[in-house]
Amino acid sequence: MDSPERLFVLAYPDAATAEAARDRLLELQRPEHITIRDLAVAENRDGKIKLRQYRNNTAIGFAVGGMWGGLIGLLVFAPFVGLALGAAAGAVGGAQTDTGIDDESMKTLARHLAPGAAALFVLEEGASRDRIVEDLASFGGTLLDDPLK
């Protein structure tokens, strides 16, 4: 049986600290220890919100679309045309797909941060929230309870 996904947010005084915590979390990720489904850093730049997401759906769509387009292009003796069309279609589809943590919810929460502050959004599977918070304690930060409710 799959474990449920849980979202939690750690607020930091600046984006550099949030990104350092994100990088540390990526180093710690192992299925037997921590399973991360999605990560993002949202920074409040004087009211303008900047999102930096771990998963890039546009790039994934580009690669997968290009592969399938190239394979289909081989069947009709135009592999480069198929590759180009498949990659373009995949990139467009990937850009329009929002998986993981909802972008608008992250932006809404980040607007409540002090200017210059940032938040690390973590979508994890299982019951590893306490372990993650403990592992990232050296970065400081504040755990926000029920952040998107």
Side-chain angles (χ1 to χ4, degrees):
M1 183 175 193
D2 289 329
S3 299
E5 291 182 340
R6 293 181 0 170
L7 174 70
F8 64 95
V9 180
L10 294 162
Y12 293 96
D14 56 67
T17 306
E19 289 174 351
R22 177 202 59 205
D23 294 344
R24 175 69 179 138
L25 189 52
L26 290 171
E27 292 171 8
L28 295 171
Q29 180 175 292
R30 291 184 310 277
E32 68 277 0
H33 184 66
I34 295 171
T35 303
I36 302 299
R37 293 290 172 218
D38 199 12
L39 285 173
V41 171
E43 179 184 9
N44 184 340
R45 292 184 177 172
D46 295 321
K48 196 170 189 178
I49 308 305
K50 173 73 175 165
L51 294 180
R52 286 183 288 290
Q53 297 179 309
Y54 174 65
R55 180 178 295 154
N56 186 339
N57 289 332
T58 303
I60 293 168
F62 179 82
V64 172
M67 180 192 70
W68 281 109
L71 288 173
I72 293 169
L74 281 173
L75 296 173
V76 295
F77 303 108
F80 294 113
V81 173
L83 176 74
L85 292 175
V92 169
Q96 295 176 351
T97 303
D98 186 16
T99 58
I101 307 167
D102 179 61
D103 291 0
E104 287 307 312
S105 296
M106 289 189 289
K107 288 178 181 179
T108 298
L109 186 139
R111 283 186 186 93
H112 295 287
L113 297 172
L120 173 62
F121 291 79
V122 181
L123 183 62
E124 59 93 13
E125 182 178 310
S128 54
R129 182 186 86 163
D130 293 337
R131 181 180 298 162
I132 292 169
V133 170
E134 181 181 314
D135 287 338
L136 298 180
S138 64
F139 295 96
T142 303
L143 177 65
L144 305 179
D145 288 321
D146 297 323
L148 302 180
K149 290 186 181 186

